[in-house]
Amino acid sequence: MDDFQVPETSIGQVLTEQPPIIDVRTPKEFEQFRIPGAINIPLFSNDERVRIGTTYTQDSKEAAVKLGLTFFSETARHFYDRCKSVYEKQQAPLVIHCWRGGMRSLSVVSFLNALGLPCMQLQGGIRSFRRKIVADLEQMADRLPPFIVVEGLTGTKKTVLLTELEKQGYPVLNIEPMAGHRGSTFGAIGLSQTSQKQFECMLWQRLSALQAAPYILMEAESKRIGRIQVPDFLIAAKQNGERIRLHYPFEKRVQYLMSEYEPEQHEQAIRQATKRIEKKLSEDIRTTAKAAMEGGDFRRLTALLLEHYYDPRYRYTSTQYDTPVHEVKMESLEDGLQKVKQRLGRPVFA
């Protein structure tokens, strides 16, 4: 098997030619990191992959290979039919990949070609794509356009505003949706967090599309967003960027956060997040917040945390920058959009 030669292609060719890509890794591996446009047709399930790895470690390579063959023999027909369906829809040779261009993709390419289904193996597997992302991001860091940073107190709809601006053709780098996290102690509630590798893949995609833009709009993010680490070059760009500071009435901020976090549906998660920051509150505010939480008064709890925790932290952080700032007072999202658009001018990608 090691000496058998199969048709191969490179990640550069794949990204240029955009052939149909079949990712034969497990659903869990695919969820954590994937090539844009790839279709996951797993050779093994998540559990089967674990069992094969355990057999390899505790017994031998030969025993692991035999177990893999046993699993695949039960699903081979279904696997072939799915691959054939992709080929018939796109009428182009399939590119098959696993993690590092090893036995999984090699076996599949041999199997499918033997059955008359044209396909190629991706050299180096998805690791070759990961290496390209890392290298490209390093190069992009040196030639980014200037940044315009949207900032404001918690609950000023910064992410929502950026999402709308992106839809309307403005050059937005919206980090929080990429991370699957809102950036605060409560930020993961109701969301599925992205892996670091997949985050960097989405970042690479978006920055590639924005290289020719005259500027990039981005929210004033911290170094960490949940478990995601934001690259240093973006933090530097944020610190040096012109700023648009949103102002939104306090009660409307509370109302927005209540609708965004849905405390009735995520009560336990909100309680756990609140406990993580209790020690940072003064004793009297901590007592009042606990009473609100125990009584199920999440509107009161939200208002307390804004006034006595998040707002003071933001105001302190905002004093650390001396770049130009444009103040925008908004009564609604639409009001804020119109005022920000007046500042920015025509959409870049209209």
Side-chain angles (χ1 to χ4, degrees):
M1 180 68 74
D2 291 340
D3 296 326
F4 185 78
Q5 298 296 312
V6 299
E8 291 183 325
T9 188
S10 67
I11 188 62
Q13 290 174 299
V14 167
L15 295 175
T16 299
E17 300 170 7
Q18 298 186 332
I21 307 167
I22 305 297
D23 185 333
V24 300
R25 298 174 304 149
T26 63
K28 182 178 180 180
E29 290 175 290
F30 183 80
E31 180 183 356
Q32 291 177 343
F33 178 49
R34 54 200 172 271
I35 298 174
I39 299 169
N40 187 213
I41 305 180
L43 195 57
F44 305 116
S45 68
N46 295 331
D47 181 63
E48 288 170 345
R49 177 65 174 161
V50 170
R51 291 175 61 187
I52 291 170
T54 301
T55 300
Y56 183 94
T57 302
Q58 297 181 354
D59 194 337
S60 65
K61 178 180 178 180
E62 182 179 358
V65 170
K66 288 182 178 180
L67 181 60
L69 289 172
T70 299
F71 290 146
F72 183 63
S73 66
E74 298 171 357
T75 59
R77 177 59 185 270
H78 179 64
F79 182 90
Y80 170 78
D81 286 344
R82 291 189 64 190
C83 291
K84 184 180 179 183
S85 176
V86 174
Y87 172 74
E88 290 176 343
K89 287 179 181 178
Q90 302 200 32
Q91 290 296 308
L94 307 176
V95 173
I96 311 294
H97 79 81
C98 55
W99 171 236
R100 62 178 182 273
M103 183 172 290
R104 280 185 288 179
S105 57
L106 179 65
S107 301
V108 168
V109 172
S110 301
F111 169 71
L112 294 179
N113 275 320
L115 294 177
L117 197 59
C119 58
M120 298 174 285
Q121 183 186 33
L122 176 61
Q123 297 168 352
I126 199 172
R127 281 206 307 186
S128 64
F129 180 50
R130 172 64 181 164
R131 288 193 293 268
K132 176 173 176 55
I133 288 173
V134 172
D136 284 358
L137 286 177
E138 289 180 356
Q139 294 178 3
M140 289 177 186
D142 297 327
R143 56 174 188 265
L144 289 173
F147 275 58
I148 299 176
V149 181
V150 176
E151 60 177 45
L153 296 167
T154 301
T156 50
K157 297 190 175 183
K158 300 181 291 294
T159 300
V160 180
L161 183 138
L162 286 172
T163 299
E164 290 301 316
L165 287 172
E166 183 175 348
K167 289 178 182 178
Q168 296 180 32
Y170 289 88
V172 172
L173 180 64
N174 211 351
I175 296 293
E176 290 186 5
M178 292 181 184
H181 197 284
R182 303 180 189 88
S184 71
T185 303
F186 297 81
I189 294 175
L191 300 178
S192 178
Q193 293 189 66
T194 308
S195 71
Q196 183 72 33
K197 289 178 182 177
Q198 187 60 24
F199 168 78
E200 291 176 7
C201 176
M202 290 186 283
L203 180 64
W204 167 81
Q205 281 184 282
R206 189 57 181 157
L207 286 178
S208 296
L210 295 177
Q211 286 188 82
Y215 61 87
I216 293 177
L217 282 160
M218 180 180 130
E219 187 172 337
E221 301 292 355
S222 301
K223 177 64 177 174
R224 295 196 69 87
I225 304 178
R227 64 189 178 201
I228 297 300
Q229 184 167 323
V230 179
D232 289 338
F233 69 84
L234 283 185
I235 299 300
K238 178 199 76 170
Q239 293 171 341
N240 295 322
E242 176 185 339
R243 292 173 289 154
I244 295 176
R245 182 180 294 151
L246 304 180
H247 299 270
Y248 197 42
F250 184 83
E251 286 302 322
K252 290 186 177 182
R253 290 165 54 210
V254 173
Q255 182 180 352
Y256 165 67
L257 292 171
M258 289 288 291
S259 65
E260 175 70 12
Y261 286 89
E262 300 178 308
E264 294 81 7
Q265 297 185 30
H266 304 109
E267 181 174 338
Q268 188 58 35
I270 288 174
R271 289 176 180 273
Q272 292 173 351
T274 302
K275 288 181 179 180
R276 288 196 291 271
I277 63 175
E278 280 181 352
K279 61 184 179 182
K280 300 177 182 179
L281 302 172
S282 65
E283 184 175 352
D284 59 331
I285 298 302
R286 183 164 61 246
T287 300
T288 306
K290 281 184 176 181
M293 184 169 62
E294 293 306 320
D297 189 351
F298 291 102
R299 180 176 291 275
R300 175 62 173 155
L301 176 64
T302 301
L304 285 167
L305 294 179
L306 285 181
E307 183 178 358
H308 299 284
Y309 180 70
Y310 283 106
D311 287 4
R313 285 166 61 92
Y314 166 78
R315 291 190 178 102
Y316 171 78
T317 301
S318 66
T319 63
Q320 308 304 303
Y321 307 106
D322 57 4
T323 52
V325 59
H326 179 67
E327 310 285 351
V328 173
K329 294 182 179 181
M330 52 187 266
E331 291 296 323
S332 66
L333 176 63
E334 185 57 37
D335 180 37
L337 276 171
Q338 292 304 319
K339 290 176 178 177
V340 170
K341 287 160 63 176
Q342 288 174 7
R343 175 70 179 178
L344 296 173
R346 294 175 61 84
V348 172
F349 301 118

